[in-house]
Amino acid sequence: MGDEFLIAALVGVIACLGFVLYLQKQSRKLKNKVDAITVLVKESDRQREAVKRELHELRSGTIGVGRRVVELEKRLSQQSEMLEEASQQDPQAKLYSRAVKMVGLGAGVEELMQECELPKAEAELILRLHRK
């Protein structure tokens, strides 16, 4: 009975040793997977930071562009007002504005000459410049 116990104990020890080796192999596989995932997470973090920086730059650029657009709109509005004032102050400009509107409505050279009191050459010129 002593030999049987010794054989059973030896088989138990060998089985435990096999199980330990199996667990070590599985542990190495898991460690390799964890290492691979760690590398992926670090790369993902690096890419996220790069995208975050790019997004910040885009936001800053957009804000700058928005400010420039507002500034340009103000300048355009001021220039439009100045142009309107200039055209209203010059009586001759009113006649030309009226002539241009008439051309847009389909008026001919004779109508421009009569209604706006323009010489024939000016009426023809306005007609050629503003006919659609």
Side-chain angles (χ1 to χ4, degrees):
M1 181 142 135
D3 287 339
E4 292 172 356
F5 179 72
L6 190 58
I7 291 174
L10 188 59
V11 169
V13 168
I14 291 173
C16 285
L17 186 59
F19 186 64
V20 167
L21 291 175
Y22 172 77
L23 288 177
Q24 284 179 340
K25 184 177 178 183
Q26 292 301 318
S27 175
R28 278 193 300 273
K29 284 182 181 179
L30 285 175
K31 184 182 181 316
N32 289 340
K33 287 181 181 182
V34 166
D35 290 343
I37 289 172
T38 302
V39 169
L40 289 174
V41 167
K42 286 180 182 178
E43 178 64 19
S44 175
D45 286 345
R46 187 189 64 74
Q47 288 177 351
R48 184 180 51 81
E49 286 300 319
V51 168
K52 189 176 176 180
R53 280 191 305 276
E54 288 177 18
L55 182 60
H56 178 70
E57 290 172 7
L58 285 172
R59 284 181 183 158
S60 299
T62 302
I63 290 170
V65 168
R67 289 180 182 151
R68 289 281 307 188
V69 167
V70 168
E71 179 184 321
L72 289 172
E73 285 176 343
K74 286 179 184 177
R75 291 172 69 187
L76 180 61
S77 175
Q78 290 171 349
Q79 289 178 352
S80 294
E81 288 174 9
M82 289 172 52
L83 185 60
E84 184 65 31
E85 286 176 15
S87 68
Q88 289 178 1
Q89 290 176 358
D90 184 10
Q92 211 44 27
K94 287 182 183 179
L95 289 177
Y96 290 123
S97 295
R98 183 172 177 213
V100 170
K101 288 179 185 176
M102 288 176 63
V103 168
L105 295 172
V109 174
E110 294 299 323
E111 286 180 88
L112 293 177
M113 289 172 52
Q114 290 175 0
E115 294 293 323
C116 299
E117 299 176 4
L118 295 173
K120 184 175 182 177
E122 288 183 19
E124 289 174 344
L125 180 61
I126 290 174
L127 194 65
R128 286 185 187 144
L129 288 175
H130 296 282
R131 186 177 279 165
K132 293 178 182 172

